[in-house]
Amino acid sequence: MTKSFYITTPIYYVNDSPHIGHAYTNIVTDILARYHRISGKNVKFLTGTDEHGQKVEKSAIAKNIPAQDFVDQVSQTFRTLCTDLNISNDDFIRTTDQRHKDAVIAIWQKLQENGHIYKDKYSGWYSVRDEAFYSESEITEDKKAPTGAPVEWVEEESYFFNLSKWQDKLLQFYEENPEVIYPKSRKNEVISFIKSGLKDLSISRVSLNWGIGVPNEQKHTIYVWLDALTNYLSAIHYPDENNDDFKNYWPEAHHIIGKDILRFHAVYWPAFLMAANLTLPKKIIAHGWWVRDGQKISKSIGNIIVPADLINEFGLDQFRYFLSREITFGNDGNYSRANLVNRVNSELSNKIGNLLQRSLSMVYKNCAEEIPQNITDDIYEDNKLLADALSCFEKYSKAIETPEFSSAIGYVIELAEQANIYIDENAPWALKNTNPEKMQQILYVILETCRYIGILLQPIIPESATKILHALSVPQDQRLFMHLNAKFRLKSGTKIPLPQAIFPRFEGE
Ligand code: MSP
């Protein structure tokens, strides 16, 4: 049976217009989704928008637009971002969708039925920007949240979730499943937060209208994070636990998030799930931030970088490549235009583009516009470059699955470097008249290595990888990772199209 894989991005607040940070979350999630599809899995990739809560309500009021019209408009910009970035999501959920509202009501009722919700009074600090409650000890001297966001004092009737009761169960879960949170440093953060003592969580507000009402309680609106987190279930038909999507995907859930929303995903969410008798996510993977001069890139700080601008200037795949290659996953990355130009030129253009251009032009000119002839089945034997190509997948897949995108890409770049060295050392151009068979074999080995490079780059730079595979005339149905072996090697005599440059060079600053 085909294995299923469920992967999600956070759903984006619609108070903000999409910027490089959102693009990054989308792109790394897309890489994983594509990687698992090319591995032969049945993938569901979910993204969407988080449209309720005070923050969104305030933005709509500030713009003087009815909340529903406002969220319709901004949600659309996040859909457009997906299209602009060539994101392969299978679904786009909005928290204003009826299917989502139904799921939120269902989970609320389940928590209530199981005895985990009670009514009391909340008095404490709340940050609208973070949509989060903070305890007294977390508030800084100048009355800010640890994130730097302003806080306000709230005192009102509220429903509570008995989070404190889940402390030991959460610790036990992470002890028994140490691989769930990645990177490890984030896991340690979560564990110490849980150990510091969990307080019951306020999960309804009377001072909020824009949201999903508490069942049979006119006054109360469900806390936006309980609402938002449930999106991961609503898209797979919760509460219908017998639905095939629910049965196949829920046990395989992988949540990709930014480090700023770890507490919600790794503490509150698993506690809600346990309380609702549901299994817990398989992985919670937290990435770092894109920063500028040490500050998180965000609209409220006013230092945003608009993805569309960079895509127009450098090309979509160049942008995807830079974001996924430039930083060690989990760490912050300092955005710099010079680094972007440098990455694109030194790797995509000089290493991969150059390799393709040199080898394909030679083949086109000297091998009758076709994959070289005179190749025997033992071509792989004793060939170091093809051995490197064969062994590349294992290292690459381990890195991507970790996930460590930069090193996964690095293995492909190393393979291209080896191929460039192989051309230089074997100088096929000098053999044209003296030993044409040998020239054909050398060129064949290079093109066959490029086939690996093209297949491996598909999750990262899908359009360009397709161009590479097209340039090599690799059949459409032989582009999966299972085709990375000698059995599916390039077929001699297959016509190739006129080679075109795939990765242009850019001028530096
Ligand atoms: N709505 C919540 C998530 C609810 S999920 C059930 C939210 N939305 S957000 O729009 O503020 O952030 C969405 C994602 O974008 C987060 O993963 C966040 O980390 C990411 N980024 C926003 N700015 C970022 C950077 N400057 N750099 C990298 N990613 C950051 O939180």
Side-chain angles (χ1 to χ4, degrees):
M1 210 181 85
T2 318
K3 266 200 91 182
S4 295
F5 185 80
Y6 184 33
I7 188 154
T8 65
T9 70
I11 47 173
Y12 301 98
Y13 282 131
V14 291
N15 69 305
D16 211 349
S17 39
H19 59 67
I20 196 171
H22 308 125
Y24 181 67
T25 310
N26 274 345
I27 290 169
V28 293
T29 312
D30 187 54
I31 293 176
L32 285 170
R34 288 178 186 269
Y35 166 85
H36 285 280
R37 285 194 201 101
I38 301 168
S39 304
K41 287 195 194 140
N42 166 29
V43 172
K44 179 168 172 103
F45 171 7
L46 176 71
T47 186
T49 41
D50 188 353
E51 306 183 8
H52 292 135
Q54 264 177 295
K55 172 150 120 163
V56 171
E57 190 178 44
K58 272 191 166 176
S59 301
I61 293 170
K63 289 236 156 69
N64 207 8
I65 309 177
Q68 187 62 51
D69 295 353
F70 175 72
V71 299
D72 286 348
Q73 278 173 22
V74 189
S75 177
Q76 186 53 45
T77 64
F78 280 93
R79 266 186 211 264
T80 307
L81 178 72
C82 288
T83 317
D84 290 351
L85 297 173
N86 195 7
I87 299 299
S88 63
N89 56 304
D90 303 287
D91 197 351
F92 188 99
I93 189 130
R94 301 181 54 186
T95 53
T96 49
D97 286 349
Q98 193 57 46
R99 57 176 173 159
H100 174 73
K101 293 180 182 166
D102 294 345
V104 174
I105 300 288
I107 201 164
W108 179 284
Q109 283 168 336
K110 190 75 182 171
L111 297 177
Q112 204 160 37
E113 221 173 271
N114 289 354
H116 303 303
I117 292 182
Y118 63 93
K119 204 192 231 176
D120 202 344
K121 190 176 160 204
Y122 177 76
S123 46
W125 296 103
Y126 191 76
S127 157
V128 176
R129 192 166 103 192
D130 298 346
E131 296 283 17
F133 299 96
Y134 289 105
S135 64
E136 189 66 50
S137 62
E138 289 176 295
I139 300 301
T140 59
E141 267 177 23
D142 56 346
K143 296 280 172 269
K144 293 254 168 72
T147 56
V151 289
E152 58 193 45
W153 183 257
V154 173
E155 264 187 43
E156 61 183 33
E157 185 184 86
S158 172
Y159 280 93
F160 282 81
F161 170 70
N162 63 359
L163 183 65
S164 58
K165 296 236 165 63
W166 299 96
Q167 180 161 333
D168 292 342
K169 290 221 166 59
L170 284 168
L171 289 173
Q172 187 189 344
F173 171 70
Y174 288 123
E175 194 155 302
E176 287 167 6
N177 302 278
E179 308 293 320
V180 171
I181 301 174
Y182 184 82
K184 212 173 157 196
S185 55
R186 299 282 166 227
K187 183 189 100 177
N188 299 339
E189 221 175 82
V190 168
I191 302 288
S192 51
F193 176 72
I194 301 174
K195 282 191 174 157
S196 74
L198 297 180
K199 292 210 188 70
D200 288 354
L201 181 70
S202 160
I203 51 166
S204 81
R205 306 292 307 274
V206 287
S207 51
L208 166 73
N209 296 315
W210 181 240
I212 303 172
V214 169
N216 310 316
E217 257 289 15
Q218 292 302 317
K219 269 199 318 195
H220 287 258
T221 300
I222 297 178
Y223 173 42
V224 65
W225 270 100
L226 172 55
D227 168 344
L229 288 160
T230 306
N231 89 87
Y232 303 132
L233 296 173
S234 14
I236 49 172
H237 308 284
Y238 181 81
D240 181 3
E241 294 184 38
N242 289 319
N243 183 285
D244 281 344
D245 278 356
F246 186 86
K247 284 197 295 199
N248 291 332
Y249 292 124
W250 187 242
E252 297 301 326
H254 292 62
H255 300 313
I256 310 295
I257 58 168
K259 64 179 184 180
D260 46 330
I261 52 176
L262 186 62
R263 187 186 294 187
F264 304 97
H265 283 82
V267 181
Y268 302 168
W269 184 226
F272 294 151
L273 290 168
M274 286 195 267
N277 312 113
L278 292 165
T279 47
L280 306 197
K282 205 157 185 184
K283 278 221 161 201
I284 301 167
I285 299 168
H287 63 70
W289 289 336
W290 281 92
V291 297
R292 243 179 147 176
D293 307 319
Q295 279 195 299
K296 182 184 180 202
I297 292 176
S298 80
K299 191 178 152 197
S300 40
I301 294 167
N303 59 354
I304 65 166
I305 290 159
V306 180
D309 295 347
L310 294 179
I311 296 171
N312 287 339
E313 186 174 357
F314 296 102
L316 170 61
D317 280 346
Q318 282 76 1
F319 179 63
R320 289 178 59 114
Y321 184 83
F322 169 70
L323 291 190
S324 46
R325 170 70 165 143
E326 187 70 7
I327 52 180
T328 303
F329 189 86
N331 293 355
D332 289 349
N334 198 19
Y335 170 78
S336 126
R337 195 174 186 282
N339 289 353
L340 196 166
V341 171
N342 189 32
R343 271 291 172 198
V344 166
N345 283 345
S346 69
E347 295 183 346
L348 284 182
S349 309
N350 292 2
K351 291 187 178 140
I352 297 183
N354 197 22
L355 170 70
L356 286 162
Q357 195 60 20
R358 303 160 87 183
S359 54
L360 283 165
S361 313
M362 250 185 280
V363 169
Y364 197 80
K365 265 197 228 129
N366 304 317
C367 306
E369 302 171 17
E370 59 187 39
I371 302 291
Q373 306 271 6
N374 294 313
I375 309 301
T376 48
D377 273 339
D378 59 4
I379 185 86
Y380 269 69
E381 268 169 42
D382 297 326
N383 188 293
K384 160 102 178 37
L385 183 59
L386 289 176
D388 286 347
L390 262 179
S391 62
C392 190
F393 178 65
E394 202 184 319
K395 295 186 280 186
Y396 159 98
S397 64
K398 206 167 158 221
I400 283 215
E401 287 182 25
T402 301
E404 191 25 272
F405 303 104
S406 184
S407 27
I409 298 170
Y411 295 127
V412 183
I413 295 296
E414 272 168 31
L415 184 59
E417 280 165 0
Q418 290 309 315
N420 278 313
I421 294 173
Y422 181 85
I423 302 200
D424 294 339
E425 283 179 358
N426 290 282
W429 51 87
L431 298 169
K432 194 178 156 191
N433 299 320
T434 51
N435 192 346
E437 274 188 26
K438 178 95 180 133
M439 175 195 73
Q440 285 174 319
Q441 282 155 11
I442 291 163
L443 289 173
Y444 181 90
V445 166
I446 312 261
L447 295 197
E448 177 64 357
T449 306
C450 291
R451 181 176 76 89
Y452 283 74
I453 293 173
I455 289 181
L456 293 172
L457 287 177
Q458 289 177 104
I460 297 126
I461 46 171
E463 267 176 27
S464 310
T466 302
K467 283 188 194 157
I468 297 175
L469 296 172
H470 173 74
L472 298 165
S473 294
V474 175
Q476 284 287 350
D477 59 357
Q478 292 182 16
R479 296 180 177 185
L480 302 178
F481 298 135
M482 60 177 271
H483 299 117
L484 290 173
N485 51 49
K487 187 171 159 212
F488 293 96
R489 67 183 175 79
L490 292 170
K491 224 168 141 229
S492 296
T494 311
K495 282 276 171 216
I496 58 160
L498 178 68
Q500 312 270 348
I502 299 180
F503 302 113
R505 275 186 64 83
F506 293 91
E507 293 309 319
E509 295 290 284

